[in-house]
Amino acid sequence: MFGISLFRTDRSLCLQTLILLRAEVEGKRVRERERGREKRETAVCVRRRMDREEGEDWVPLRARPAWADVVPIPQDDGPRPVVPIAYTDQFREVMDYFRAILAKDERSSRSLELTAEVIALNSANYTVLACNACMR
């Protein structure tokens, strides 16, 4: 009798385990589909943002009279960067001017406007966010 109830318990445990494993596999499939959907949505957002940035009539900082006295500091990735990043010309120029005002520790209204431009291009740049907060 004890052996039969043990068998039934083992069988029910096996069934429960199978059910849990199947649920876990299905959950992983759902999560993978969700991740795939999120990646596609992110890619669409990035493309829209890049299209919007390229379509706008952006005036380069070097062409603005207010920035004539600033010498931009280009990013130094060394002689042989491991993975060169393909920045847009707008992003590269804005960051070069940001590095220049950061080196001079300039705190002015034009610096505040520049940090706002950098944040618009890359809202995850904590250095710029901190500088922007200090200038307010």
Side-chain angles (χ1 to χ4, degrees), residues 10 17 20 31 37 45 55 57 76 78 88:
D10 286 347
T17 304
L20 290 173
R31 286 191 300 272
R37 184 182 54 77
C45 289
D57 292 330
D76 182 15
T88 64

Coordinates of all heavy atoms in Angstrom, one line a residue, residues 10 17 20 31 37 45 55 57 76 78 88:
D10 N 4.9 10.1 -6.6 CA 6.0 10.4 -7.6 C 5.4 10.8 -8.9 O 5.9 11.7 -9.6 CB 6.9 9.1 -7.7 CG 7.8 8.9 -6.6 OD1 7.9 9.8 -5.7 OD2 8.3 7.8 -6.5
T17 N 6.0 18.7 -12.1 CA 7.3 19.2 -12.6 C 7.2 19.5 -14.1 O 7.7 20.5 -14.5 CB 8.4 18.1 -12.3 OG1 8.5 17.9 -10.9 CG2 9.8 18.6 -12.7
L20 N 5.3 22.6 -14.6 CA 6.1 23.8 -14.2 C 7.2 24.0 -15.3 O 7.5 25.2 -15.7 CB 6.8 23.6 -12.9 CG 5.9 23.7 -11.7 CD1 6.6 23.3 -10.4 CD2 5.3 25.1 -11.6
R31 N 8.9 35.9 -23.0 CA 9.8 36.9 -22.7 C 10.7 37.2 -23.9 O 11.0 38.4 -24.2 CB 10.7 36.5 -21.5 CG 10.0 36.6 -20.1 CD 10.9 36.5 -18.9 NE 11.6 35.2 -18.9 CZ 11.1 34.1 -18.3 NH1 9.9 34.1 -17.8 NH2 11.8 33.0 -18.3
R37 N 10.1 42.2 -29.6 CA 9.3 43.4 -29.9 C 9.8 44.7 -29.4 O 9.8 45.7 -30.1 CB 7.9 43.1 -29.2 CG 6.9 44.2 -29.5 CD 5.5 43.9 -28.8 NE 5.6 43.8 -27.4 CZ 5.8 44.8 -26.5 NH1 5.9 46.0 -27.0 NH2 5.9 44.6 -25.2
C45 N 12.2 53.7 -33.0 CA 12.4 55.0 -32.3 C 13.7 55.7 -32.7 O 13.7 56.9 -33.0 CB 12.2 54.8 -30.8 SG 10.6 54.5 -30.3
G55 N 16.7 65.8 -40.5 CA 15.8 66.7 -41.3 C 15.7 68.1 -40.8 O 15.3 69.0 -41.5
D57 N 16.8 71.8 -39.6 CA 17.9 72.8 -40.1 C 18.7 73.2 -38.9 O 18.5 74.2 -38.2 CB 17.2 74.0 -40.7 CG 16.5 73.7 -42.0 OD1 16.9 72.7 -42.6 OD2 15.4 74.3 -42.2
D76 N 39.5 62.1 -28.1 CA 40.7 61.3 -28.3 C 40.6 59.9 -28.0 O 40.5 59.5 -26.8 CB 41.9 61.9 -27.5 CG 43.2 61.3 -27.7 OD1 43.3 60.5 -28.7 OD2 44.1 61.5 -26.9
G78 N 42.7 57.6 -29.1 CA 44.0 57.0 -29.2 C 44.3 56.7 -30.7 O 43.5 56.9 -31.5
T88 N 27.3 60.9 -35.5 CA 26.8 61.9 -36.5 C 27.7 63.1 -36.4 O 28.3 63.4 -35.4 CB 25.4 62.3 -36.3 OG1 25.2 62.9 -35.1 CG2 24.4 61.0 -36.4

